[in-house]
Amino acid sequence: MKKYLVTILLTTIMNVAFGQTEKIVNKTVADSFEMNYNADNFDAIFSSFSTEMQNALPLDKMKEFLAGLKTQAGKITKRQFVKYEQTYASYKTNFERALFAVNISVDNNSKINGLFVKPFTESNLPKLVRNTTKLILPFKDEWTVIWGGDTKELNYHVESEAQKNAFDMVITNDKGNSYKTDGKTNEDYYAFGKDLIAPCDGEVVLVVDGVKDNVPGILNPVYVPGNTVIIKTQNNEYLFFAHFKQHSIVVKQGQKIKQGELLGLCGNSGNSSEPHLHFHIQNVEDMNSATGVKSYFDKIKVNGLTKMDYSPIQKEKISNIKK
């Protein structure tokens, strides 16, 4: 399964937050802004504005604003990308005498079309490192981890803030293939239509069930996760399941569920190249502001061996231990 085919970048069609990873264009523009600001080269900053931005903030007003900022706060000494807020890249910015959030929006021509500075406040979102709720695997058979682990080689998801500890999982045969014949139809894949179950007790807080399944190899980037279920645990962990088969989800938003209860069937909806399960845990429900949480399963079989409190990695075959 190729990375560019199975990628599940948790963004909406508005592209408000590309996995909360800073884009190259934003970094280039922000680096230039910082350099010119520190050098009092305000004309260069004005030249980097879009026409609309120049009209909204004429040169004399822009110089007055930046000069006032520099008098108050001094030069920029350190800048760290934090997240995207709508179209703005937000930076935690240390000045010589102040700490501000500097937010910069860039248009399709790499011109600044939005700029504002405000006092920086640390996020009050809950901080989670791993799940404390005891989990079983979200399926009944033996599945294979295609992407999973802590390094980029094992898991391309690590570059995404929300899904940095995510798994992509399929069912494979003895030859390592995820399909029976030629892989041209969804029904040819072992995972397609398989039961996906609740890893623990919890409450269903989101259900999306109307997205069509793709023809294998053809992705749907309009709603990237496809058919989706999010479960909130008693410990405020949010379990995220993506790519269900269309109209197969049997739980409803607001429903209380028990461990092992059927959620729906594995499908190939959203930005998915073949039937598979994408699963991860995040600290809040909103994928655009979430941070990924490492997933540990209470007691599972890994390549035939029993593992306790274990987080699987790429190429491992995993299954629940039957009681």
Side-chain angles (χ1 to χ4, degrees):
M1 187 184 302
K2 295 182 180 179
K3 169 180 173 179
Y4 71 91
L5 291 179
V6 301
T7 181
I8 167 184
L9 302 175
L10 295 182
T11 57
T12 65
I13 190 171
M14 293 179 66
N15 195 30
V16 295
F18 182 67
Q20 301 293 294
T21 300
E22 184 183 16
K23 299 177 188 178
I24 294 176
V25 63
N26 293 103
K27 183 179 187 309
T28 301
V29 171
D31 285 348
S32 178
F33 174 85
E34 177 182 335
M35 178 185 69
N36 287 317
Y37 171 83
N38 284 344
D40 292 329
N41 194 359
F42 299 154
D43 287 320
I45 293 177
F46 188 76
S47 297
S48 70
F49 284 0
S50 67
T51 301
E52 294 78 10
M53 185 70 175
Q54 289 178 345
N55 291 334
L57 188 65
L59 179 60
D60 58 337
K61 296 294 185 183
M62 188 271 294
K63 286 185 174 180
E64 180 182 348
F65 166 71
L66 292 180
L69 176 64
K70 202 160 192 182
T71 298
Q72 175 189 356
K75 292 183 178 181
I76 295 172
T77 59
K78 183 179 179 182
R79 179 173 47 83
Q80 177 185 357
F81 172 76
V82 178
K83 61 182 178 179
Y84 284 97
E85 296 180 356
Q86 300 301 321
T87 60
Y88 288 85
S90 182
Y91 298 90
K92 179 180 180 180
T93 307
N94 294 86
F95 292 76
E96 290 174 314
R97 295 182 293 277
L99 175 63
F100 288 114
V102 176
N103 289 12
I104 301 174
S105 176
V106 178
D107 66 14
N108 292 332
N109 296 315
S110 301
K111 293 289 188 178
I112 296 175
N113 63 354
L115 170 68
F116 69 91
V117 179
K118 62 181 180 180
F120 181 84
T121 56
E122 292 288 352
S123 171
N124 59 358
L125 297 178
K127 292 178 172 58
L128 299 175
V129 177
R130 54 154 293 164
N131 57 294
T132 56
T133 303
K134 291 186 177 182
L135 305 179
I136 63 172
L137 292 166
F139 39 73
K140 298 177 181 179
D141 306 305
E142 182 181 73
W143 290 55
T144 301
V145 179
I146 300 300
W147 294 104
D150 296 329
T151 66
K152 192 183 302 185
E153 292 72 25
L154 294 174
N155 192 1
Y156 77 92
H157 297 101
V158 299
E159 296 181 336
S160 164
E161 182 68 18
Q163 50 177 322
K164 59 185 177 182
N165 301 114
F167 303 101
D168 282 336
M169 294 175 282
V170 301
I171 299 176
T172 57
N173 59 22
D174 293 339
K175 297 180 181 179
N177 294 328
S178 57
Y179 51 84
K180 303 165 192 172
T181 59
D182 56 13
K184 293 183 178 180
T185 65
N186 287 320
E187 290 74 15
D188 197 35
Y189 287 81
Y190 296 107
F192 189 71
K194 290 294 186 181
D195 289 353
L196 299 178
I197 60 176
C200 62
D201 297 353
E203 178 185 355
V204 178
V205 294
L206 178 71
V207 171
V208 176
D209 193 34
V211 184
K212 291 182 179 180
D213 287 284
N214 305 324
V215 174
I218 301 176
L219 288 73
N220 172 13
V222 174
Y223 184 70
V224 178
N227 299 308
T228 306
V229 171
I230 299 180
I231 297 173
K232 180 182 179 182
T233 73
Q234 292 180 342
N235 296 317
N236 294 319
E237 303 141 345
Y238 291 82
L239 281 54
F240 193 107
F241 305 77
H243 308 314
F244 283 86
K245 181 180 179 182
Q246 186 183 29
H247 301 319
S248 75
I249 297 174
V250 298
V251 294
K252 304 295 183 183
Q253 185 173 320
Q255 180 179 340
K256 304 290 186 180
I257 56 171
K258 295 293 184 181
Q259 185 181 73
E261 188 173 340
L262 179 67
L263 302 176
L265 307 179
C266 182
N268 187 28
S269 58
N271 210 39
S272 168
S273 65
E274 70 170 77
H276 74 286
L277 169 65
H278 171 101
F279 173 80
H280 73 267
I281 303 177
Q282 53 193 44
N283 63 332
V284 294
E285 179 182 340
D286 182 3
M287 66 180 73
N288 291 312
S289 58
T291 297
V293 177
K294 191 161 183 178
S295 308
Y296 288 82
F297 298 95
D298 186 43
K299 186 178 181 180
I300 61 174
K301 188 172 289 187
V302 180
N303 295 336
L305 301 176
T306 298
K307 298 281 188 178
M308 305 292 292
D309 195 35
Y310 186 74
S311 186
I313 62 173
Q314 186 185 71
K315 296 183 179 180
E316 291 183 331
K317 289 182 175 290
I318 56 177
S319 61
N320 286 311
I321 295 175
K322 296 180 180 180
K323 297 180 180 179

